[in-house]
Amino acid sequence: MRVAMIGTGYVGLVSGACFADFGHDVVCIDKDAGKIARLKQGEIPIFEPGLDALVERNVREGRLSFSVDAADAVRNADAVFIAVGTPSRRGDGYADLSYVHAAAEEIAGLMDGFTVIVTKSTVPVGTGDEIEDIVRKASPNADFAVVSNPEFLREGAAIEDFKRPDRVVVGTDDERAKAVMNELYRPLFLNETPIVFTGRRTSELIKYAANAFLALKITFINEIADLCEAVGADVQQVARGIGLDKRIGNKFLNAGPGYGGSCFPKDTLALVRTAQDAKAPLRLIETTVEINDVRKKAMAGRVADVLEGDLTGKVIGVLGLTFKPNTDDMRDAPSLDIVPALQAMGATVQAYDPEGHEARQMLPGVAFKAGPYEAVEGADAVVIITEWDQFRALDLDRMKTLMKSPNVVDLRNIYRPDDMRARGFRYSSIGRG
Ligand code: UDX
């Protein structure tokens, strides 16, 4: 199959490279000429484990290429994927669809022969209908079908998620489009991945419902963690005790500082807006959004608590800034709430993150250090915000010697309270009362 991928951001690049690896001919297109030039030279703009090797191999074997010009790729394509950004619209939380609409207009003028237009971008219910209208208006005689095919990729594990997904969701009633989509995902038939065919609106909603449910699950365990602290229970054991019930499942029950990232915060908000507009409000998700926002802001208070409530003139060492490990993504990272709150309470912050380079622009006043030991040196307290593997295996004795006072606030529960206390740390974590 010949595939044109419009948008070479996170989703487009990973999906394009993986489709090429399935054996399809893929052209990844982006308006950003600098980005395309760098990709042509083998430079990957994002940090995603395994992606550089995957891109390199498929380019070398002639199945993957990059272009600023959509014309040839779209004209030849069996399927054109729209994988452009749908950020939160400033101020109101609705998804900004301007890039999606622009992509639809562009595709309309270029298609030749039956073409399947597939939305990979996360788009509100009804966007497929809008795309169909735009294309029909611009190109009344075009032969095409618009399909919804949401992505469920986790950053840091995106290639694995693409190649071994729990399911693939395809929203269309068009039989020719179904055949094209089946062919595109055929390599997954080998491991019997369920392909769920639904109506287009249902497929669009599945994506939001999945993310909202996961955000709700995390928020649930975060609240249980607070209760554990109040009553002297252990949230990790509660999570295990409930997670072994197959109806609940053990995933996404790690209590922490609140969820962040490029999807959960914006998608929960967009779903809340869709539901309000449809006069079917989702009060559970509205509350989830609110609890999570408050939680992220409240985390700095935990650091203040270990220092008797006063951070004036104190030095805080921060380990981890990205919204989760194995990504360089800073979008809606809890650190963006926690660090400024620490500074507002009078603390000086020094930080280290292996990949979160963008933090330098986003967190003014922070001293960025070259490694974890430099970040803890002279600190009155250390806060672990992101659970990078390298922070799980720190030389704790060395760390203690370097710190001014041995206070550790572990917002990801990567250490054991009894062990940390035995080593002479004053240690606080999440939900282990
Ligand atoms: C998510 C969805 O998992 C994916 O299916 C979707 O397509 C895009 O959004 P991603 O944002 O990459 O993926 O990361 P994910 O691993 O889901 O984590 C999101 C946030 O939740 C992170 O801030 C993470 O730290 C937090 N989280 C996750 C928890 O606090 N506890 C958990 O148990 C799991």
Side-chain angles (χ1 to χ4, degrees):
M1 294 260 116
R2 282 158 306 178
V3 173
M5 186 68 65
I6 313 275
T8 309
Y10 191 84
V11 172
L13 189 55
V14 171
S15 307
C18 288
F19 275 131
D21 214 46
F22 282 176
H24 303 302
D25 285 324
V26 181
V27 185
C28 286
I29 297 145
D30 207 291
K31 293 241 177 294
D32 182 340
K35 191 194 246 181
I36 292 296
R38 286 194 296 280
L39 280 164
K40 280 184 169 171
Q41 281 161 10
E43 238 179 82
I44 307 296
I46 50 170
F47 176 80
E48 178 63 35
L51 186 59
D52 44 2
L54 193 76
V55 168
E56 191 271 324
R57 185 172 72 240
N58 282 282
V59 169
R60 181 161 34 85
E61 292 173 5
R63 289 184 299 268
L64 180 63
S65 59
F66 301 97
S67 177
V68 278
D69 181 13
D72 282 346
V74 171
R75 194 173 321 111
N76 295 325
D78 301 294
V80 181
F81 281 78
I82 299 180
V84 296
T86 52
S88 263
R89 216 159 61 185
R90 207 182 294 267
D92 64 9
Y94 285 91
D96 176 352
L97 292 178
S98 51
Y99 303 108
V100 172
H101 292 161
E105 301 228 358
E106 185 175 17
I107 296 165
L110 300 172
M111 294 182 307
D112 186 16
F114 178 65
T115 308
V116 181
I117 301 172
V118 193
T119 40
K120 262 269 169 239
S121 305
T122 298
V123 292
V125 180
T127 304
D129 301 356
E130 287 172 27
I131 295 173
E132 195 169 307
D133 289 346
I134 290 170
V135 177
R136 176 83 53 228
K137 212 176 270 167
S139 196
N141 299 319
D143 187 15
F144 70 100
V146 178
V147 172
S148 157
N149 174 219
E151 57 82 19
F152 300 99
L153 311 177
R154 283 164 307 160
E155 294 191 14
I159 294 168
E160 174 71 14
D161 283 354
F162 194 96
K163 292 192 161 181
R164 269 170 282 279
D166 292 336
R167 79 314 203 177
V168 171
V169 175
V170 177
T172 181
D173 296 324
D174 186 293
E175 292 304 324
R176 288 186 298 168
K178 278 186 198 169
V180 169
M181 297 305 287
N182 263 326
E183 191 54 33
L184 278 172
Y185 283 105
R186 198 149 64 110
L188 297 182
F189 296 177
L190 282 176
N191 50 12
E192 298 181 356
T193 304
I195 312 267
V196 181
F197 282 102
T198 71
R200 198 163 58 199
R201 284 177 171 248
T202 304
S203 168
E204 288 167 341
L205 187 54
I206 286 172
K207 166 69 195 214
Y208 281 100
N211 274 355
F213 188 84
L214 292 170
L216 174 74
K217 198 172 178 188
I218 296 167
T219 304
F220 173 81
I221 203 67
N222 283 341
E223 286 211 305
I224 294 289
D226 291 349
L227 179 59
C228 283
E229 285 167 20
V231 299
D234 182 325
V235 73
Q236 287 180 311
Q237 290 172 24
V238 173
R240 183 167 154 74
I242 63 173
L244 284 167
D245 184 328
K246 289 198 180 62
R247 293 169 302 177
I248 296 173
N250 59 7
K251 307 260 171 67
F252 277 63
L253 286 178
N254 294 317
Y259 60 78
S262 60
C263 289
F264 289 170
K266 103 178 151 59
D267 292 349
T268 43
L269 215 53
L271 182 62
V272 160
R273 294 286 176 259
T274 299
Q276 285 166 349
D277 287 352
K279 308 238 174 332
L282 292 172
R283 293 197 355 250
L284 269 177
I285 307 306
E286 287 172 14
T287 308
T288 298
V289 170
E290 196 183 307
I291 294 171
N292 195 63
D293 284 347
V294 171
R295 182 172 189 84
K296 289 203 275 190
K297 292 194 171 61
M299 287 296 122
R302 289 179 179 246
V303 184
D305 288 347
V306 298
L307 293 172
E308 271 76 50
D310 188 11
L311 291 184
T312 322
K314 298 284 198 267
V315 175
I316 308 298
V318 170
L319 296 179
L321 296 166
T322 51
F323 82 95
K324 68 173 197 179
N326 295 325
T327 177
D328 56 358
D329 203 331
M330 287 295 301
R331 281 177 283 180
D332 279 307
S335 66
L336 297 177
D337 284 308
I338 299 168
V339 169
L342 293 170
Q343 291 168 318
M345 285 189 258
T348 302
V349 176
Q350 52 190 41
Y352 169 67
D353 188 284
E355 294 294 335
H357 312 298
E358 236 183 276
R360 287 172 190 268
Q361 280 85 54
M362 302 171 98
L363 292 170
V366 171
F368 291 92
K369 300 290 181 179
Y373 298 105
E374 287 85 345
V376 306
E377 196 171 352
D380 294 281
V382 163
V383 200
I384 301 168
I385 303 186
T386 317
E387 68 278 33
W388 285 92
D389 272 348
Q390 58 174 279
F391 303 151
R392 294 175 189 271
L394 292 172
D395 178 343
L396 293 170
D397 293 332
R398 180 175 168 202
M399 175 165 143
K400 188 159 158 251
T401 320
L402 287 167
M403 291 174 69
K404 189 165 167 210
S405 316
N407 295 302
V408 172
V409 180
D410 177 0
L411 300 180
R412 298 290 184 168
N413 290 350
I414 62 177
Y415 286 105
R416 296 209 350 239
D418 47 356
D419 186 41
M420 290 300 276
R421 276 168 212 141
R423 287 168 181 275
F425 286 97
R426 189 156 172 231
Y427 176 79
S428 100
S429 59
I430 301 281
R432 300 188 289 184

